[in-house]
Amino acid sequence: MGLIKMRPVPVFLIWILLLVTQETCGISKVRGADPQKLHLYENKEGFFHCLNSSQKVPYSSLNDDFCDCDDGTDEPGTAACDGSTFYCENIGYVPVNILSSQVNDGICDCCDGSDEWLGYVDCPNRCVQNGKERIEQMLAEVKIIKQGLKKREELKSLSSLRFSELVNKTKLLQVSIHEAEVLERKAKKELHWLEHVLRVIEARDIVANASVGNLSSHSSGDVVTTNEESSNDLGRTHSLQNEDDELNVNSEKTSDEVYKSTMRSDFVLETCQNISKVYTSSHMLLRLQKLFFDFLSKFPVLSNFFKGSQRKIDTEVLKLCISNLKEHLETLRSELEKNRTELERVQQYFSSDYGPENVFLALRDICLEVDSQGYHYKLCLLSHVTQDSINLGKFSQWDSNYTKMIFSDGTPCWNGPARSTVVNLLCGVNETILKVSEPSKCQYHFWMTTCAVCSVHEMKKLRDEANIILSNLNLTKGQKSNMAHKHDEL
Amino acid sequence: MRIIPSKVAIIIIIFFLLYIVSRCSGAKWADLCKCEELSFCRRNRVTDQTPLEGNLLFPETRVREGSVKAQQVKVKGVVGDSLYAILESRVGNVSTDLVLQVFPLTGGSFRITIAEEQAPLLRFDAKDALKEPFPLGHFDLSPYHDVEATLLWNEGKKLILKYVPFELLVFSNNQSLYPDIVVNHHRLTKLEVLQNHSNHFCAALEETHLANDNISIVENMSTNTKEDSLLQLYCQNAFEETVHGHLDQKKRGLEAVSMDIMFPFGQHLYGLAERATDLSLSFTKDSLYGSVYSEPYRFYNLDVFEYETQKPLGLYGSIPVLYTLEEKSTSGCLWLNAAETFVDIFPSNWSQESSLASHFISETGLLDVVLFPGGKTPQDVFNQYLLVTGRPAMTQRFALGYHQSRWNYRDQMDTLAVNQRFDQFNIPCDVIWLDIEHTNGKRYFTWDMEKFPDPSSLLKRIGDNGRKLVTIVDPHIKVDNDYFVYREAKANQFFIRKQNEEEEYSGWCWAGLSSYLDFVSKKVRNWWSTRFQFRYYPHFGDNLYTWIDMNEPTVFDGPENTIPKSVIHLDGWEHRQVHNMYGFYMHKATYDGLLQSRNFSDRPFVLSRSFFAGSHRYGAVWTGDNQANWEHLRYSIPMILSLQISGMILSGADVGGFFFDPDPELLIRWYEVAAFQPFFRAHAHEDTRRREPWEFDAQTTTLIRKAILRRYELLPYWYTLFAASSSVNCEADFETCGPPMRPMFWEFSYDKETWKEQTEWMIGNALLVAPILEKDSLFRTVYLPPGNVSHQEQWFDLFSTDSKKRSIAQRGFVQVNAPLGRHIVFQRGGTIVPFRNRTRRSTVCMERDPIGLRIALDHDGKAKGLIYLDDGRSFLYESGHFRLAKYLWNSTGTLQVMIHPLGNKPFVGSDIIIEQIVVYGMKQQPKRAYVSSQLNNATLHFSST
């Protein structure tokens, strides 16, 4: 093809098409306008007032396939304005407002085909068919919702039962922990005191023995060491005394004085009796007290001790006393630890949000498992998610309307973020995982059904939709009664 | 005293962190071969440390007396003339006769080849890069001289061949005294003569001197010893060398070719795609010149992991074309060689004027170069280049829309959800892409039926909105006898073979252990083309198109991530001879496949990562695996501009950056850049977070949507520009024929300010785009070329929020405020740009929409422009199913419309209307507007601001 000269042609493209569809008497219809807003499209002294601004344009601009209003409202029936909508009547189905950009683009969007009014494509009216299909679909949905709602009631009572159980358990645990803590504190103090007494006695003995030993076989070096040890011991005693103000030990007492006081067997007796006195307040320790005295009774020597005899026995008794007390304290502590852990566990339940009426409480810790694309997934509701042995996140929060459980802070990805999971909840009778997917690396999505999200509101919405469809149907009587029957089912 | 050790500890930790960081970012550059590490480059490169004078390694080449003659040649049915001469070339002790052939080509360029007169082996001829039939021209060889021969041909060009020493001078105008191109001015033309191994002088040398690894040449050596040492140096690693731990055995021995090409008028050089460097090429040697690089530019198609910017390394494709420029003169060359190639750029001079020179060194292949004497503008060189390599394929119109991709949309439901969300947010989109994960275990041409249980329904659902689906296909075929593609290719022996030629080569890629199809072989290509038929590729529907990737080719366990050079192709070539064209051949075969599978009625769309000169005949390319940072955003511009001027007009960069996560600001700005670049596709790595337009806040979605809408608004203009570039009658029918996205120097080569400009560009000749390219930046300086004495430019700020500023802008450097969402686009006075401003779901949905015209008047109140329309997908335009309208606005305020007489047959949208005309720069308020036509009369409404 050589050089081709263009020849001037008067008009290549036709300039403007007037596409206004109006009838002479008033406005019965403006193409694409929502009938409820029809009054806004009135001809006001030759002008159309743009809907969302104070701008007005000549009335002939309405639906003339050219966008005149800055807010795009003068072209409900054409695609000329970005952001406006086209009303599909969809008789037999649900009327909808579609984007004006979908008008006359060669794709059938309205089921009645009204969006393709220039006829670029043939759009058969599918509305009645769609309506019927939709009704059938809704019937199935409603059936599920109904079953789900029933199941949800059960779930709710289960949840509230569990909730009150948890509350009671918490109270019980708190009481017993409190009691045990008081006892523990007291026993600890007693123990300190007894140990202190024992040390003082022993220190005195060592000093006494040392002076004896000095005369006999012990080397002087050994003596010095022992002395040092004992003085250290005494020093510790001193500090103990300082710590234990509650025991009213006079910190100014010299060790000798302490010793003297401990020498008094009645004091020792008093101490042991004190122990029992303290413990009588607790039924737990009545047992110990009993044990203690049973124990004492088995050793006749101890009786001597109570009679205020040899100091040798004093220390033995003291040691027994201490070891028993320690054993007891140990039991007490482990019991306490157990109860605290249990309380913590129970309280954890309260730190989570179980949605309206705590309905999700009964689902907590229920684990669902599924195999998908070569992996084994385990989803423990409101707790955690795993993929084989990899942690995909711990439960962290809900979305605003309790339809998504969000799990975060799972095992970090290589070169990436920590794994996280979103569980989408759909209304269903049973708890079942429908699908698992990983849309972004290390971000997982689950879809599962549960009755917990079934709602009357959903049902109402379906009913409303059904009403619209039914009212939009031009039906024969027989059909009507048939549909009415279906409506009742809804 | 205690502080010091902790300080030391902190320093050590910081140092360690720096070490890690630098290792991560520096590893890729360090892992790639440098010239010095490759024997062929080492022995052929001349640096300031290599004295050329008396260097026995560089040949004295002269034309043998009486050997110059005119010959008639026949290439694929085309008869023309060639100049034939014998060159005597002497390197060291060896003297050889070489044949020089000069082929004048239509369009004024010519091709020169140099090869051994007699050689035991063939050199690979990269002629497939050129268009068929090879466009030969005719010439007069006269007059003869003792010292030189002059060649004149009907294109008004002249060539002088000087005999001693050999030198070629090319003149764009036969009256001119100064040549545009001079070959061998620096005496670097050299061809390492192919010899049989048995009597190869290096082999002989190996026997006499036990190969010495540490050869040094000392100044005071005797000449004989020096020559001896030089030869040893020359023969070092002649038959094998280990590079970065990979042994390379070279059974053919030395075979490199090299040539220096000097441009006496050159002030700037452009081209040498693909690499992430500045548009204007830098000097590559000798610190005295202020060289940016100490390494030459490299051509070796590689999958460079997380490539860095501003490195002369070569990336996925090679287009060894050079453009040179000064105010009034342009010229260029195309180095036609598929082997690994290095190019030095260095300053030179001619008649005491400073100029530029290039030195090409290739490991093997024919010494083959096409010289473009050019003319006054870069367009002249481009025309010559496209005459030789062919016009770019006519694009599918949808390819100019927006593409949404990700590695990977997980499954059918996910893909459909993405498709649906475009409608939900009322954002147009034309193509959705599926990466490797859609296949059954990376067995290409299959579907993962668990994730995509019903691909046909997926295609239909996507097609319902006028959209297309693109699936990926790679050249590595999983070694698996149960995989039909592997089984069939193996049975037919279609795979590249190991060096011993007995076993098929296999390496690791996405599919695991894989074999590589030999696309260099025509029978493999023919077979591959049949794969795109429904019976071989299940669910290959009408709206499914193709993406080919990893076709450098990538081999994870190969040297530099590619296939070893010593493997053998079916036609007997060692891979080293054909490497840079592997992706090109795959692109060609895939293009042919799509063409055949749709019965030659649908324009193929094939995106390739690897390419070579001429790949533009087969489709689109993109700049590979870039990164989500501002530097990569900035460098996307010179990268795409280089591709544009090299013929790859359908090219673009992954929007948002492939690796890492962009923040909303970077992502929005990236959309604001890419909406004005030809191939507009968002794509992301598997490890990144989702970043589809709605994944951030509402504001981000709005701004991204705005950028995408801008692309669709200007689509009639883009399509017209693409049609022009692809048209064989471009000059006559379209007038403006450059690449759709043009460097500023393209339109304003007389203006020095534009020569290094790479932050703004032109779309066609009418629109100047200057996006924001810096973080937190709300304004930028834009250079609006003021024009020259004969023509003063006027510029109009199209999208200014202030309507007053839409009037004539100040020329020169101006500052423009641009918060997010403000697109900086100026229309040049004297132009008319068509647009469509209805928001639709896809390009197909727009085809019947009315158009608008933006008319920007020049100083004299005139303007002109074009619109091209056709069905956007078929080849029916070739038989008249198109409209090409030319608009002329004259100084009296009349808009004349002229239509191309051959475009008169109907198609969908052939009778659209103009709904709006916007005129910028009118000096007087118009009083009325009317249509004067025999066909109709309509009232025109008008308003002015």
Side-chain angles (χ1 to χ4, degrees):
Chain A
M1 192 156 68
L3 190 86
I4 288 150
K5 279 193 185 150
M6 294 196 190
R7 67 193 150 83
V9 165
V11 156
F12 160 50
L13 304 163
I14 307 156
W15 207 81
I16 258 173
L17 280 175
L18 294 177
L19 303 164
V20 190
T21 51
Q22 29 180 320
E23 286 165 28
T24 41
C25 48
I27 35 156
S28 67
K29 212 169 182 184
V30 173
R31 194 194 294 276
D34 190 329
Q36 287 174 354
K37 294 183 188 164
L38 209 57
H39 60 282
L40 298 171
Y41 292 88
E42 263 174 61
N43 186 339
K44 290 175 187 155
E45 292 155 4
F47 285 98
F48 166 70
H49 291 255
C50 305
L51 302 188
N52 303 326
S53 68
S54 56
Q55 197 185 355
K56 56 179 185 176
V57 297
Y59 197 73
S60 59
S61 306
L62 187 62
N63 272 342
D64 69 345
D65 202 25
F66 187 82
C67 195
D68 297 279
C69 292
D70 292 339
D71 64 10
T73 51
D74 61 312
E75 294 294 322
T78 79
C81 295
D82 185 22
S84 67
T85 55
F86 176 89
Y87 180 85
C88 312
E89 257 185 315
N90 288 352
I91 290 173
Y93 192 44
V94 185
V96 286
N97 282 301
I98 62 163
L99 291 165
S100 289
S101 60
Q102 298 176 345
V103 174
N104 288 322
D105 66 350
I107 298 169
C108 307
D109 293 287
C110 304
C111 65
D112 63 4
S114 59
D115 59 317
E116 292 299 314
W117 52 267
L118 276 176
Y120 295 146
V121 281
D122 184 27
C123 296
N125 191 324
R126 310 182 311 264
C127 289
V128 173
Q129 185 59 29
N130 281 10
K132 281 180 182 160
E133 279 169 16
R134 182 67 188 135
I135 294 275
E136 292 300 325
Q137 197 189 347
M138 282 192 294
L139 281 172
E141 276 177 41
V142 165
K143 204 169 153 195
I144 289 173
I145 296 179
K146 273 182 180 166
Q147 285 176 9
L149 282 172
K150 208 167 146 196
K151 202 81 190 289
R152 191 178 184 272
E153 286 307 310
E154 291 168 25
L155 193 72
K156 241 167 67 188
S157 45
L158 211 65
S159 289
S160 70
L161 197 71
R162 198 161 169 194
F163 189 78
S164 46
E165 267 174 26
L166 285 168
V167 171
N168 288 340
K169 199 164 183 189
T170 309
K171 276 182 191 156
L172 273 175
L173 281 167
Q174 278 169 341
V175 168
S176 66
I177 286 169
H178 178 73
E179 283 176 355
E181 273 171 355
V182 171
L183 290 178
E184 190 213 9
R185 217 161 36 235
K186 284 180 179 164
K188 218 161 80 186
K189 280 173 194 167
E190 287 302 331
L191 183 64
H192 277 165
W193 176 240
L194 288 181
E195 279 175 342
H196 166 67
V197 170
L198 182 65
R199 265 194 306 275
V200 173
I201 293 169
E202 277 177 345
R204 190 69 199 183
D205 284 356
I206 287 159
V207 174
N209 287 343
S211 50
V212 174
N214 211 6
L215 297 172
S216 55
S217 59
H218 288 291
S219 76
S220 59
D222 280 345
V223 176
V224 174
T225 318
T226 321
N227 268 336
E228 275 177 6
E229 277 173 4
S230 59
S231 68
N232 277 351
D233 259 351
L234 288 173
R236 235 187 290 150
T237 311
H238 210 75
S239 72
L240 260 174
Q241 285 167 353
N242 283 337
E243 282 166 19
D244 290 348
D245 283 347
E246 268 188 67
L247 288 173
N248 295 323
V249 175
N250 188 347
S251 58
E252 283 165 15
K253 272 184 190 166
T254 65
S255 61
D256 204 50
E257 279 169 327
V258 172
Y259 175 64
K260 272 176 191 159
S261 70
T262 54
M263 278 301 288
R264 291 202 318 269
S265 57
D266 60 328
F267 180 81
V268 176
L269 176 64
E270 193 188 333
T271 310
C272 268
Q273 279 169 339
N274 266 343
I275 297 171
S276 62
K277 250 186 234 163
V278 166
Y279 294 154
T280 41
S281 60
S282 155
H283 72 282
M284 298 266 293
L285 280 148
L286 283 172
R287 231 173 78 218
L288 183 92
Q289 190 190 21
K290 191 170 171 290
L291 275 172
F292 183 57
F293 287 105
D294 286 355
F295 173 74
L296 281 182
S297 65
K298 278 181 195 156
F299 295 88
V301 194
L302 288 181
S303 315
N304 294 336
F305 167 75
F306 286 106
K307 282 166 193 157
S309 58
Q310 294 150 352
R311 192 173 13 102
K312 195 82 185 161
I313 296 168
D314 290 358
T315 54
E316 303 250 320
V317 170
L318 259 178
K319 277 177 184 165
L320 274 169
C321 207
I322 286 170
S323 100
N324 270 317
L325 199 52
K326 270 185 177 163
E327 204 177 292
H328 159 68
L329 200 59
E330 215 39 62
T331 323
L332 203 59
R333 275 179 179 155
S334 74
E335 196 97 340
L336 194 59
E337 197 49 47
K338 220 175 83 195
N339 283 342
R340 278 187 182 139
T341 318
E342 181 62 11
L343 182 68
E344 210 174 294
R345 197 183 70 80
V346 173
Q347 273 175 338
Q348 262 184 12
Y349 280 81
F350 295 106
S351 64
S352 293
D353 178 354
Y354 298 101
E357 302 161 285
N358 283 329
V359 65
F360 292 102
L361 180 61
L363 291 177
R364 172 146 181 174
D365 296 332
I366 286 179
C367 296
L368 307 169
E369 298 183 40
V370 70
D371 288 304
S372 172
Q373 296 177 359
Y375 295 103
H376 182 74
Y377 292 93
K378 189 172 174 186
L379 164 63
C380 293
L381 298 169
L382 291 136
S383 174
H384 64 277
V385 195
T386 58
Q387 178 199 53
D388 296 337
S389 60
I390 298 163
N391 179 0
L392 300 187
K394 294 185 281 286
F395 177 69
S396 65
Q397 65 185 94
W398 286 98
D399 68 330
S400 57
N401 46 3
Y402 296 97
T403 54
K404 285 181 167 68
M405 274 183 217
I406 297 159
F407 296 75
S408 56
D409 209 16
T411 314
C413 275
W414 184 79
N415 235 350
R419 287 175 174 80
S420 62
T421 303
V422 175
V423 178
N424 299 286
L425 304 178
L426 306 166
C427 170
V429 183
N430 297 312
E431 278 65 46
T432 317
I433 296 177
L434 300 176
K435 184 180 146 74
V436 182
S437 154
E438 190 188 355
S440 289
K441 188 109 178 186
C442 305
Q443 296 181 3
Y444 296 82
H445 279 212
F446 282 63
W447 283 265
M448 64 166 284
T449 53
T450 170
C451 62
V453 294
C454 296
S455 73
V456 183
H457 178 68
E458 239 2 86
M459 188 120 106
K460 191 179 170 300
K461 254 168 66 183
L462 285 174
R463 283 209 177 106
D464 291 347
E465 193 186 332
N467 280 335
I468 296 169
I469 294 177
L470 292 174
S471 66
N472 220 0
L473 270 172
N474 289 329
L475 296 171
T476 62
K477 264 190 183 165
Q479 283 171 324
K480 251 184 193 160
S481 68
N482 184 23
M483 289 315 272
H485 171 66
K486 286 194 171 163
H487 182 244
D488 290 345
E489 276 182 50
L490 286 167
Chain B
M1 285 302 283
R2 288 167 98 189
I3 296 166
I4 292 167
S6 67
K7 248 187 190 170
V8 169
I10 289 165
I11 291 164
I12 289 169
I13 290 164
I14 291 171
F15 184 78
F16 184 68
L17 286 173
L18 284 174
Y19 175 72
I20 291 171
V21 169
S22 64
R23 257 181 62 91
C24 290
S25 61
K28 304 100 209 182
W29 171 239
D31 287 349
L32 297 167
C33 291
K34 311 297 181 310
C35 175
E36 194 53 34
E37 294 169 303
L38 294 155
S39 61
F40 83 89
C41 189
R42 193 164 58 224
R43 63 179 184 262
N44 284 293
R45 190 179 185 212
V46 176
T47 62
D48 45 352
Q49 279 84 40
T50 324
L52 200 55
E53 205 69 31
N55 189 331
L56 295 154
L57 294 185
F58 287 89
E60 295 164 15
T61 306
R62 53 175 70 195
V63 176
R64 172 175 290 172
E65 227 173 290
S67 73
V68 181
K69 55 185 175 187
Q71 282 196 325
Q72 270 223 328
V73 290
K74 195 167 176 242
V75 181
K76 288 202 176 154
V78 182
V79 180
D81 301 310
S82 83
L83 177 85
Y84 180 94
I86 305 275
L87 300 178
E88 296 175 85
S89 185
R90 189 179 175 279
V91 183
N93 279 333
V94 185
S95 178
T96 327
D97 285 349
L98 305 172
V99 171
L100 164 79
Q101 270 192 291
V102 178
F103 305 91
L105 309 176
T106 50
S109 53
F110 64 91
R111 178 185 184 196
I112 59 175
T113 62
I114 300 177
E116 295 88 348
E117 189 180 25
Q118 286 178 320
L121 296 160
L122 280 174
R123 287 180 175 273
F124 184 76
D125 183 344
K127 64 176 186 301
D128 285 340
L130 307 180
K131 186 184 83 156
E132 296 176 80
F134 197 68
L136 286 175
H138 294 273
F139 66 87
D140 297 320
L141 181 60
S142 67
Y144 283 99
H145 281 295
D146 291 345
V147 293
E148 59 182 41
T150 303
L151 202 80
L152 292 169
W153 69 104
N154 51 6
E155 310 275 348
K157 307 283 191 279
K158 180 172 77 174
L159 178 140
I160 294 174
L161 171 65
K162 294 202 168 175
Y163 297 169
V164 184
F166 154 68
E167 203 171 66
L168 269 171
L169 282 67
V170 183
F171 301 80
S172 62
N173 177 345
N174 56 25
Q175 306 299 318
S176 173
L177 293 174
Y178 290 97
D180 291 272
I181 307 170
V182 182
V183 169
N184 204 32
H185 181 67
H186 292 274
R187 316 285 180 251
L188 298 173
T189 301
K190 181 174 153 188
L191 186 129
E192 294 173 353
V193 178
L194 279 166
Q195 297 171 348
N196 279 327
H197 190 274
S198 53
N199 54 4
H200 199 291
F201 74 84
C202 284
L205 201 72
E206 257 178 39
E207 282 163 26
T208 51
H209 307 265
L210 286 165
N212 187 350
D213 280 345
N214 301 308
I215 307 154
S216 57
I217 295 143
V218 189
E219 275 309 308
N220 56 8
M221 275 180 172
S222 71
T223 315
N224 274 349
T225 329
K226 201 170 165 182
E227 187 170 326
D228 231 31
S229 303
L230 273 169
L231 279 176
Q232 272 193 57
L233 195 67
Y234 191 72
C235 290
Q236 200 179 38
N237 302 123
F239 298 102
E240 64 174 48
E241 67 184 307
T242 302
V243 185
H244 291 210
H246 289 271
L247 174 70
D248 179 23
Q249 288 183 310
K250 296 174 276 190
K251 60 179 184 182
R252 291 157 59 105
L254 307 179
E255 52 179 333
V257 293
S258 105
M259 179 178 266
D260 67 275
I261 300 162
M262 198 266 263
F263 303 97
F265 294 109
Q267 295 296 312
H268 278 273
L269 285 170
Y270 307 94
L272 303 187
E274 174 187 43
R275 59 203 79 246
T277 53
D278 291 328
L279 181 61
S280 169
L281 299 171
S282 307
F283 296 140
T284 57
K285 55 185 195 178
D286 194 340
S287 49
L288 279 179
Y289 309 142
S291 299
V292 174
Y293 306 121
S294 55
E295 271 289 302
Y297 289 100
R298 185 188 188 201
F299 284 109
Y300 196 56
N301 295 351
L302 292 175
D303 177 5
V304 183
F305 180 71
E306 290 180 7
Y307 65 77
E308 297 160 66
T309 60
Q310 303 186 62
K311 294 277 189 275
L313 64 88
L315 296 178
Y316 312 91
S318 298
I319 309 187
V321 67
L322 263 185
Y323 281 72
T324 178
L325 179 72
E326 59 108 63
E327 282 101 326
K328 287 178 189 133
S329 159
T330 55
S331 56
C333 68
L334 169 67
W335 181 255
L336 255 185
N337 190 302
E340 180 171 10
T341 300
F342 285 89
V343 188
D344 267 318
I345 302 293
F346 54 99
S348 176
N349 52 68
W350 182 264
S351 301
Q352 274 117 43
E353 296 282 324
S354 73
S355 63
L356 294 174
S358 58
H359 179 205
F360 289 83
I361 305 162
S362 290
E363 185 180 10
T364 171
L366 194 64
L367 201 167
D368 190 353
V369 62
V370 183
L371 301 177
F372 307 116
K376 288 190 167 56
T377 65
Q379 183 67 44
D380 295 324
V381 182
F382 192 62
N383 290 345
Q384 290 167 356
Y385 173 69
L386 291 191
L387 264 168
V388 174
T389 55
R391 286 275 160 187
M394 181 64 176
T395 185
Q396 279 272 2
R397 188 177 47 210
F398 77 74
L400 299 178
Y402 173 66
H403 300 251
Q404 184 63 55
S405 181
R406 174 176 176 82
W407 174 26
N408 213 95
Y409 290 119
R410 289 286 157 192
D411 48 36
Q412 191 157 338
M413 190 168 122
D414 187 14
T415 314
L416 285 171
V418 170
N419 178 55
Q420 187 270 327
R421 296 201 92 182
F422 277 102
D423 299 340
Q424 185 187 331
F425 290 93
N426 199 14
I427 300 173
C429 171
D430 264 81
V431 192
I432 292 178
W433 292 58
L434 292 179
D435 208 327
I436 51 175
E437 311 297 334
H438 83 279
T439 60
N440 172 18
K442 321 296 185 297
R443 290 168 185 86
Y444 307 106
F445 302 101
T446 69
W447 298 81
D448 183 328
M449 295 311 277
E450 196 185 333
K451 295 180 194 158
F452 295 87
D454 191 355
S456 293
S457 139
L458 172 70
L459 276 158
K460 195 196 161 295
R461 293 275 299 277
I462 286 176
D464 281 347
N465 289 350
R467 297 196 179 116
K468 322 291 175 196
L469 186 74
V470 168
T471 52
I472 197 165
V473 170
D474 289 355
H476 60 266
I477 303 299
K478 189 177 179 67
V479 174
D480 171 4
N481 280 314
D482 294 331
Y483 174 31
F484 64 101
V485 177
Y486 176 77
R487 211 171 44 231
E488 202 173 316
K490 189 183 171 69
N492 286 305
Q493 302 206 330
F494 283 161
F495 292 118
I496 292 174
R497 312 193 75 74
K498 284 185 182 167
Q499 200 177 347
N500 63 18
E501 299 189 37
E502 280 155 21
E503 305 156 61
E504 77 189 32
Y505 169 81
S506 54
W508 285 89
C509 205
W510 296 128
L513 192 68
S514 306
S515 283
Y516 289 76
L517 287 166
D518 181 12
F519 289 102
V520 180
S521 156
K522 195 170 180 178
K523 66 177 180 189
V524 178
R525 290 203 297 275
N526 288 343
W527 171 80
W528 176 263
S529 298
T530 63
R531 299 288 99 191
F532 294 88
Q533 289 167 14
F534 199 82
R535 62 196 153 124
Y536 294 120
Y537 190 178
H539 314 287
F540 191 83
D542 278 347
N543 58 333
L544 182 64
Y545 293 87
T546 303
W547 170 18
I548 54 175
D549 194 10
M550 314 298 277
N551 52 345
E552 292 74 27
T554 303
V555 182
F556 292 151
D557 55 342
E560 295 192 276
N561 234 15
T562 192
I563 202 164
K565 285 174 172 176
S566 54
V567 298
I568 306 295
H569 287 258
L570 300 183
D571 300 337
W573 301 110
E574 267 187 304
H575 183 69
R576 82 181 73 248
Q577 282 135 348
V578 300
H579 176 83
N580 285 345
M581 281 180 77
Y582 183 84
F584 165 93
Y585 281 122
M586 185 188 184
H587 208 171
K588 177 178 163 60
T590 310
Y591 174 91
D592 288 341
L594 263 65
L595 204 56
Q596 288 163 24
S597 73
R598 308 234 159 91
N599 215 9
F600 298 87
S601 64
D602 189 69
R603 303 172 203 164
F605 172 79
V606 184
L607 177 80
S608 174
R609 191 168 71 181
S610 186
F611 51 87
F612 192 70
S615 285
H616 55 258
R617 299 197 299 273
Y618 311 118
V621 300
W622 88 108
T623 62
D625 300 345
N626 60 353
Q627 297 169 30
N629 60 48
W630 292 87
E631 175 82 351
H632 272 262
L633 171 62
R634 285 188 286 274
Y635 272 89
S636 73
I637 302 166
M639 285 180 86
I640 299 169
L641 286 173
S642 289
L643 288 168
Q644 292 286 308
I645 66 173
S646 308
M648 293 301 330
I649 57 172
L650 194 51
S651 49
D654 285 348
V655 176
F658 178 70
F659 289 111
F660 315 121
D661 293 308
D663 60 16
E665 185 196 0
L666 175 60
L667 189 63
I668 293 163
R669 290 299 194 195
W670 207 310
Y671 272 95
E672 290 177 356
V673 169
F676 301 100
Q677 294 173 339
F679 178 59
F680 184 21
R681 183 185 74 148
H683 184 51
H685 189 275
E686 194 183 25
D687 288 349
T688 60
R689 289 193 293 273
R690 286 283 177 126
R691 58 163 93 138
E692 286 68 34
W694 46 84
E695 290 288 337
F696 299 85
D697 52 306
Q699 163 84 345
T700 304
T701 307
T702 306
L703 294 171
I704 289 175
R705 177 176 183 265
K706 192 174 174 188
I708 295 174
L709 288 183
R710 196 70 83 198
R711 154 56 61 108
Y712 281 85
E713 174 185 328
L714 292 173
L715 213 105
Y717 183 54
W718 279 110
Y719 191 61
T720 302
L721 293 170
F722 270 82
S725 299
S726 302
S727 164
V728 284
N729 292 314
C730 182
E731 297 277 293
D733 294 350
F734 291 85
E735 293 182 25
T736 172
C737 298
M741 175 185 173
R742 297 173 194 176
M744 291 304 291
F745 71 72
W746 200 272
E747 290 294 319
F748 306 99
S749 55
Y750 55 80
D751 183 344
K752 285 185 186 178
E753 290 291 348
T754 65
W755 290 355
K756 292 185 87 166
E757 182 55 64
Q758 58 183 26
T759 66
E760 55 187 73
W761 64 91
M762 297 293 292
I763 305 176
N765 67 340
L767 300 180
L768 183 154
V769 182
I772 297 286
L773 301 165
E774 307 281 340
K775 187 172 172 54
D776 299 329
S777 181
L778 295 173
F779 60 88
R780 65 161 284 167
T781 303
V782 180
Y783 180 67
L784 300 172
N788 57 13
V789 186
S790 59
H791 182 78
Q792 275 206 348
E793 297 292 345
Q794 294 196 147
W795 296 97
F796 301 89
D797 189 345
L798 287 187
F799 307 122
S800 172
T801 43
D802 181 353
S803 65
K804 276 177 198 155
K805 286 193 174 163
R806 272 176 254 166
S807 58
I808 302 172
Q810 189 192 334
R811 289 185 291 261
F813 292 97
V814 296
Q815 189 171 300
V816 182
N817 291 330
L820 287 170
R822 156 77 152 112
H823 306 151
I824 309 179
V825 180
F826 287 87
Q827 188 170 339
R828 186 183 184 183
T831 61
I832 299 176
V833 174
F835 66 94
R836 270 181 165 143
N837 56 10
R838 299 192 176 190
T839 310
R840 298 293 201 178
R841 276 170 279 196
S842 57
T843 50
V844 172
C845 297
M846 296 173 83
E847 57 191 3
R848 295 183 186 87
D849 283 345
I851 59 156
L853 297 176
R854 286 202 182 95
I855 302 179
L857 304 184
D858 67 9
H859 214 62
D860 306 322
K862 292 183 195 162
K864 60 180 179 179
L866 292 159
I867 186 168
Y868 173 85
L869 299 158
D870 63 15
D871 66 10
R873 59 177 82 90
S874 76
F875 293 98
L876 288 173
Y877 67 92
E878 288 172 345
S879 51
H881 297 267
F882 70 92
R883 292 291 181 277
L884 176 58
K886 188 170 171 181
Y887 303 108
L888 268 178
W889 180 276
N890 65 25
S891 46
T892 59
T894 313
L895 178 68
Q896 252 187 353
V897 186
M898 290 167 285
I899 63 161
H900 195 290
L902 293 184
N904 53 10
K905 299 219 180 83
F907 53 93
V908 174
S910 58
D911 53 355
I912 57 159
I913 63 163
I914 301 174
E915 68 167 354
Q916 192 179 11
I917 295 171
V918 186
V919 185
Y920 296 85
M922 287 189 92
K923 286 181 181 135
Q924 288 173 320
Q925 283 281 330
K927 291 197 181 71
R928 68 193 191 99
Y930 59 91
V931 177
S932 150
S933 150
Q934 292 140 345
L935 298 175
N936 66 53
N937 277 304
T939 317
L940 303 189
H941 302 271
F942 72 92
S943 60
S944 53
T945 49

